[in-house]
Amino acid sequence: MTKRILLIVSGGIAAYKSLELVRLLRKRGLAVRAVLTESAEKFVTPLSLGVLTEDHVYGDMFDLKEEREIGHIQLSRQADLVVVAPATANILAKMASGIADDLATTLLLATDKTVLVVPAMNVRMWHHAATQRNIARLHADGVHVMEPDSGEMACGEFGKGRLPDPEAIAGRVEALLARPRADDPLSGQPDFEGPDASLAGRHVLVTAGPTHEPIDPVRYIANRSSGKQGFAIAAAAVRAGARVTLVAGPVHLPTPAGVARVDVQTAREMLAAVEAALPADAAIMVAAVADWRTADASGQKIKKDGLGKPTPLSLVENPDILATLGKHEKRPALLVGFAAETEKVAEHAQSKLTRKGADWIVANDVSGDVMGGERNSVHIISSTGIESWEDLPKDAVASRLIEKVAHALSPRTD
Ligand code: C5P
């Protein structure tokens, strides 16, 4: 049977791309019924959408004739999938707070179908805390959110917020339709690529990346951590419905959609940011925190003395963030550490478990190219034993780990 898409077009410059999207969806054999918000009508006409969908285009909730013939509840439920593309910051905010003040938002509140939103907006609007909060809320509500593309924007600025290619949107639609149907798709179901368990209502705290410990204004002590594994874990936790705080050391990675990111440089800043983010249900400490910092970083660039005698660096130990959380009065219910080892991986991880008061240690052998690489091969050490996973892409390690976290946290104990 022909699958039906209810396409809600909200008002942004990218609205014109909805025409191409309709064409591609029709090409895939899908029936498309379009709804335009009032502002979308300024960018794309009901006539052109009507021609492409070969259907009536809906717009005004207060068109009594339409309301009599096809109530908005019915309209929202006749589809197999509801797609909002482009989704403006405004419609995302309304969805996140359950506002229904026009036909489009009323349908979104009334539907019992899976909803995919495809945000498109100015880069600053996308990164605004309010938008990110709304995205996290929508994730937690079980809405599927497509990540915007990066690039030059219609307004001349550059960055993240462009509508993804209509081909990519159509592909995502197809993938969602191909999923086995959940009984209640809006009850915090995870994202399509996401882990198979829910963290809805949970706060997950993740650290990622290296720390930089200054020697002087231009030099620092660091390590090779790329932050990829921690960022992937934060993204997977959002997909599972969690509210996620990511405390990131200095890395050049984009913030996963829906994640609240706090950037830090040093171990001491990381500790402060982690403590400020408590309470959390689970903390996953992936960061490769520098073990030492210079005893006193120089305020001026250290000069060579001309005699070939280097200035000695005197080091002091950094606070151990994981161990601090292990005995913290607000200790998260589940505390997970990582252990990058180059030898005796399991043995070292086992002793770290008790020493740091963690529930699990995820140990990986970094003697290869794990740091900065795309794959990881890990062992999970807990009081009940060791679980070894096959070599996997970091995204897959993240999804699997978050699934394990979700299972460990349920049923709720609070
Ligand atoms: O002792 P080691 O650095 O191998 O321990 C790794 C684990 O401890 C990781 O989870 C890391 O994030 C955490 N750690 C920390 N603070 C430090 C050193 C490590 O939280 N100062």
Side-chain angles (χ1 to χ4, degrees):
M1 215 177 78
T2 308
K3 294 268 175 80
R4 306 213 269 189
I5 307 297
L6 181 69
L7 174 67
I8 295 177
V9 182
S10 64
I13 189 75
Y16 76 91
K17 293 189 187 162
S18 62
L19 298 173
E20 174 67 359
L21 177 61
V22 171
R23 200 182 64 77
L24 294 172
L25 294 174
R26 299 287 324 260
K27 224 168 93 182
R28 283 168 158 83
L30 301 167
V32 184
R33 178 165 276 178
V35 173
L36 282 169
T37 64
E38 196 185 337
S39 51
E41 286 192 26
K42 300 204 168 73
F43 295 96
V44 55
T45 67
L47 181 63
S48 45
L49 264 177
V51 168
L52 286 169
T53 57
E54 294 180 276
D55 197 350
H56 180 76
V57 175
Y58 296 80
D60 185 356
M61 183 169 59
F62 303 103
D63 181 333
L64 292 177
K65 184 167 170 288
E66 266 168 32
E67 188 60 19
R68 225 178 23 246
E69 281 171 6
I70 181 166
H72 58 266
I73 304 269
Q74 224 185 326
L75 190 57
S76 76
R77 296 192 182 165
Q78 281 170 344
D80 294 286
L81 180 71
V82 180
V83 180
V84 189
T88 58
N90 185 52
I91 201 164
L92 294 173
K94 286 186 187 178
M95 287 175 75
S97 8
I99 293 173
D101 62 355
D102 60 5
L103 179 64
T105 49
T106 304
L107 295 176
L108 286 161
L109 203 58
T111 191
D112 59 352
K113 296 294 167 13
T114 301
V115 178
L116 169 68
V117 298
V118 191
M121 66 196 74
N122 166 273
V123 54
R124 285 176 202 277
M125 291 170 79
W126 171 252
H127 286 297
H128 195 285
T131 303
Q132 290 304 308
R133 210 164 44 234
N134 293 332
I135 292 284
R137 182 68 256 166
L138 292 172
H139 269 295
D141 290 347
V143 172
H144 298 257
V145 182
M146 250 183 114
E147 194 94 355
D149 276 358
S150 291
E152 198 173 339
M153 325 214 87
C155 54
E157 284 187 78
F158 193 87
K160 198 162 176 175
R162 285 166 55 94
L163 189 80
D165 193 50
E167 271 290 357
I169 305 173
R172 184 65 173 266
V173 166
E174 235 180 358
L176 280 169
L177 288 171
R179 274 184 342 157
R181 285 270 304 143
D183 287 345
D184 179 6
L186 281 184
S187 61
Q189 285 293 314
D191 198 16
F192 177 63
E193 305 94 350
D196 187 23
S198 174
L199 281 172
R202 303 292 192 176
H203 179 208
V204 174
L205 172 61
V206 181
T207 65
T211 62
H212 284 181
E213 311 295 333
I215 296 171
D216 66 18
V218 294
R219 304 181 179 100
Y220 54 82
I221 301 172
N223 59 62
R224 295 186 192 282
S225 169
S226 66
K228 282 180 193 163
Q229 185 65 80
F231 274 58
I233 288 171
V238 167
R239 289 200 300 271
R243 175 167 77 83
V244 180
T245 306
L246 172 63
V247 180
V251 290
H252 296 285
L253 291 176
T255 310
V259 165
R261 173 174 178 171
V262 184
D263 283 315
V264 297
Q265 294 282 323
T266 67
R268 286 185 296 176
E269 286 170 13
M270 188 171 273
L271 173 62
V274 161
E275 288 193 290
L278 295 175
D281 297 287
I284 309 172
M285 308 280 96
V286 197
V289 184
D291 288 323
W292 304 284
R293 66 176 183 276
T294 48
D296 51 299
S298 166
Q300 303 299 328
K301 186 179 173 198
I302 302 170
K303 299 279 181 206
K304 285 182 275 193
D305 68 356
L307 305 169
K309 206 166 132 255
T311 308
L313 284 183
S314 115
L315 302 176
V316 289
E317 206 165 303
N318 265 329
D320 191 306
I321 303 166
L322 180 59
T324 307
L325 282 197
K327 44 183 193 303
H328 204 280
E329 54 166 358
K330 293 186 192 161
R331 183 192 190 280
L334 184 67
L335 183 57
V336 182
F338 266 65
E341 306 288 353
T342 52
E343 53 162 4
K344 297 187 189 157
V345 177
E347 198 180 309
H348 286 161
Q350 190 78 51
S351 77
K352 215 158 275 185
L353 189 71
T354 30
R355 197 155 32 84
K356 303 209 182 197
D359 298 301
W360 307 340
I361 291 285
V362 181
N364 52 353
D365 187 341
V366 291
S367 51
D369 70 345
V370 167
M371 281 198 156
E374 300 299 331
R375 300 180 72 85
N376 210 351
S377 148
V378 304
H379 311 271
I380 317 269
I381 290 102
S382 69
S383 60
T384 55
I386 300 187
E387 197 180 309
S388 294
W389 294 353
E390 68 274 24
D391 181 60
L392 292 166
K394 285 182 176 172
D395 279 343
V397 169
S399 292
R400 225 199 247 189
L401 184 66
I402 284 299
E403 203 171 315
K404 199 172 158 65
V405 167
H407 283 132
L409 287 178
S410 70
R412 294 185 74 111
T413 47
D414 53 357

